[in-house]
Amino acid sequence: MALLGPKEQEIVRERLANLTRDVEMVLFTDSSTLIAPGKEPCLYCKETKQLLEELSALSDKLHLVVYDLATPEGKEKAEAYKVEAAPTLILREKGSEAINLRYRGIPAGYEFASLLEDIEMLGRDGHGLPENVVQELNDLPEEVVLQVFVTPTCPYCPQAVRTAHRLAYASPKVWGEMIEANEFPALSDRYHIHGVPDTVINHGKERVLGAQPLSQFLQAIRKAVGVRA
């Protein structure tokens, strides 16, 4: 049974019709049924793969690559791409080696809108950030990791994900990752996630609560790496 109905397919097809650059979707799944300490089962690997297959069928500008963490090749790629869990989706322009714009968990509900906007950003629109912001990001003294905790039913979460992913697309110094809080409860507990969106910066050094403007994210990033405004 299709996850995208005929009306949704037509709407998405129209949105993707104006892409001018090819976009690659690199998905890591896990077909293993083994339960190990510290390893959470992949609740939505099958559905995530199906969703992306349906999506890629709607545009010849979309290219889906799938790796299975249960295979030697998948494990090797996961190590190279710094993937810790499944499902993890990495988005990038086709031909790019970038691995810093990603989703951990199924991009469903309101987050499907984030996925479409990211594809349009990569395939047509660009990040749209001012040059001085891009320069500031590139001059950061260390990498910055933005982990945006969300749920599929949160209408404010896509704004925070969008901001993190724009920053990641603008600079290799920034890692932007959506994390579906319900799929990864151990990670949510580690960072004491009680509401969403909640953006954890550099593994807890700073955080941005709610769907804040870009200026708030930049301020928190500066604090996290010890840069004065």
Side-chain angles (χ1 to χ4, degrees), residues 170-190:
S171 173
K173 282 285 187 73
V174 180
W175 288 63
E177 181 178 43
M178 180 217 84
I179 298 176
E180 209 287 275
N182 295 326
E183 285 183 61
F184 298 96
L187 200 57
S188 297
D189 289 344
R190 183 191 308 173

Side-chain angles (χ1 to χ4, degrees), residues 117-163:
E117 288 185 1
D118 280 345
I119 290 171
E120 290 173 325
M121 174 179 69
L122 291 163
R124 185 189 66 207
D125 298 336
H127 53 72
L129 297 176
E131 185 56 40
N132 65 304
V133 171
V134 177
Q135 189 61 54
E136 179 181 353
L137 296 174
N138 288 334
D139 289 342
L140 291 172
E142 60 185 87
E143 283 188 342
V144 171
V145 179
L146 306 175
Q147 294 176 298
V148 188
F149 287 82
V150 307
T151 61
T153 57
C154 167
Y156 307 105
C157 289
Q159 182 178 332
V161 172
R162 174 71 170 153
T163 299

